[in-house]
Amino acid sequence: MNGLWERIAYFFDSNALNPHGICLMWRPELIWTHAISDVLIGLAYFSIPLALGVFLWHRRDVRFSWAIWMFVAFIMLCGVTHFMMVWTLWNPDYGIEALIKAGTAAVSVVTAFALWPLLPRVIALPSPTELERRIAERDQALAELRAAMDTMVEMREHEARQKLLLDELNHRVKNTLASVQSIAVQTLNAEQEPKAAKATFVDRLMALSATHNLLVKHSWEGASFAELVQASLDHYGQPYSLEGPDLAMAPNTAVTLGMALHELATNAVKYGAWSGGGRVSLTTEFQPARDEVIIRWRETGGPPRQDTPGQGFGSRLLKQGVAGDLGGTVSLDFAATGLVCEIRAPAGQRLTPRAAA
């Protein structure tokens, strides 16, 4: 054991050695050139591993980070070696310098041997260009997937809308057929002569068609009373007027009021104001206190009527159909000066002033 310690002491003994500066003849320009150069190299060697260490600390997802840590150790030992070279310019501690160089050599060899097996795996890593290409392909695939999903959503929405439209069409067709059936039954029961019954039936179907055309114009979202009056009465070519606030009607309400206007107009042509040069005055009124809408049909200037007509299709339509559809009341006054029909209904979704809609 004493022999081992003696050998270790002898290894670090520098009494019989001279500093490296003697080899340079203590020439200042050589001494300081070596010293400054080694210091700068040592500082650079310390700065590089410090930067790599900070990078690895913040990017712990880097693959093969252990190899970079070996580089860090190797570069730092190289820096220590250069600082030691500056020290030995004035101090002959070559034993310590030899140990540092030996450590540096060991780390260098281990790093070198570790890199060669690692090299194929590193080479196999995709290049930045390849990564960009793959990312672009992935983004393109995602964009196509999103487009496909959007198309699927649109198709489902289209199918849902189509089903809704078919259900709505089915509902409207049923309502229309029910209206046609009711018109046919009432007409055939009321009219005795086939020709007269046919003419009345066709007129009522045309009135129903005119209302449907108006609703189609507004995509069956409803219609205004002013438009309904115009579509129902203009083709008679008889004088009439409309005063008061315009009304917004639901589709079914428009059909009902359209038929009512047709029956009132037909009656005016056959027996009322329009059969003898008179005129029809239509007024609308909204009473906010009672939240009620009033529609009045008033005939003036026609021939006086002595009798009160029976309960035909028109009367039943007005008193039962219109009143039931609107949830209100209908009164008919067959005065000598002309028919007065008054429709009263609560304001709501089926019938409401446009200003309040």
Side-chain angles (χ1 to χ4, degrees):
M1 181 64 69
N2 291 332
L4 177 61
W5 283 112
E6 288 178 358
R7 290 182 182 180
I8 293 174
Y10 180 72
F11 182 83
F12 289 104
D13 183 19
S14 60
N15 292 325
L17 301 175
N18 294 316
H20 188 60
I22 293 178
C23 298
L24 300 177
M25 304 297 290
W26 296 111
R27 291 174 55 180
E29 70 276 11
L30 294 177
I31 293 293
W32 289 110
T33 300
H34 278 278
I36 294 173
S37 299
D38 284 324
V39 167
L40 293 177
I41 294 172
L43 291 175
Y45 275 148
F46 270 71
S47 175
I48 293 172
L50 179 62
L52 290 174
V54 172
F55 171 75
L56 292 175
W57 179 261
H58 290 282
R59 288 295 305 274
R60 301 187 183 186
D61 58 328
V62 175
R63 298 182 66 183
F64 315 121
S65 59
W66 58 269
I68 301 178
W69 281 115
M70 291 181 68
F71 268 109
V72 168
F74 163 66
I75 296 173
M76 288 191 69
L77 285 172
C78 289
V80 174
T81 300
H82 280 275
F83 283 129
M84 198 64 199
M85 291 171 66
V86 175
W87 175 263
T88 57
L89 285 173
W90 290 279
N91 302 281
D93 296 320
Y94 296 115
I96 298 174
E97 182 184 31
L99 285 178
I100 294 174
K101 285 188 176 182
T104 305
V107 174
S108 302
V109 170
V110 172
T111 304
F113 275 102
L115 284 180
W116 283 104
L118 185 64
L119 191 59
R121 299 173 62 186
V122 175
I123 294 175
L125 292 175
S127 65
T129 303
E130 178 66 15
L131 287 175
E132 291 177 359
R133 184 185 66 80
R134 293 183 184 180
I135 292 173
E137 291 179 353
R138 184 205 61 184
D139 292 344
Q140 179 66 23
L142 288 175
E144 293 176 356
L145 179 61
R146 291 192 188 97
M149 293 179 64
D150 291 341
T151 301
M152 291 178 62
V153 171
E154 290 178 0
M155 290 177 63
R156 290 182 180 179
E157 291 178 351
H158 176 72
E159 291 175 358
R161 288 195 299 268
Q162 194 174 40
K163 184 180 183 301
L164 179 63
L165 290 175
L166 288 175
D167 292 343
E168 182 67 17
L169 178 62
N170 183 48
H171 174 71
R172 290 173 184 171
V173 168
K174 287 182 178 179
N175 286 346
T176 302
L177 290 176
S179 300
V180 172
Q181 182 183 19
S182 176
I183 291 172
V185 171
Q186 296 293 338
T187 302
L188 294 176
N189 288 341
E191 301 290 349
Q192 300 299 323
E193 297 182 3
K195 290 185 178 179
K198 177 181 177 181
T200 302
F201 181 66
V202 171
D203 287 344
R204 287 170 176 169
L205 287 184
M206 293 303 295
L208 182 63
S209 175
T211 304
H212 277 225
N213 289 338
L214 178 61
L215 290 171
V216 169
K217 177 182 176 182
H218 294 284
S219 302
W220 277 86
E221 294 180 356
S224 74
F225 185 69
E227 290 179 314
L228 181 64
V229 170
Q230 184 179 6
S232 302
L233 304 184
D234 277 4
H235 63 90
Y236 286 100
Q238 299 293 335
Y240 75 89
S241 61
L242 174 63
E243 297 179 356
D246 196 7
L247 306 175
M249 303 174 296
N252 290 340
T253 302
V255 172
T256 301
L257 288 179
M259 293 300 301
L261 289 174
H262 168 73
E263 295 302 322
L264 289 170
T266 301
N267 181 77
V269 169
K270 290 183 178 179
Y271 315 108
W274 286 347
S275 66
R279 67 180 292 110
V280 172
S281 299
L282 273 162
T283 59
T284 59
E285 181 182 348
F286 174 59
Q287 295 184 349
R290 302 180 60 182
D291 199 25
E292 187 177 56
V293 175
I294 303 174
I295 300 174
R296 290 189 182 89
W297 170 287
R298 184 184 300 276
E299 299 179 18
T300 57
R305 188 163 187 170
Q306 303 299 328
D307 59 333
T308 300
Q311 292 291 324
F313 173 74
S315 298
R316 287 194 298 274
L317 173 68
L318 289 166
K319 290 185 177 181
Q320 298 176 15
V322 175
D325 181 70
L326 298 181
T329 60
V330 176
S331 63
L332 294 172
D333 182 9
F334 293 94
T337 55
L339 171 65
V340 178
C341 175
E342 184 176 270
I343 302 173
R344 291 177 174 266
Q349 294 182 349
R350 290 173 293 187
L351 185 66
T352 183
R354 276 193 174 276

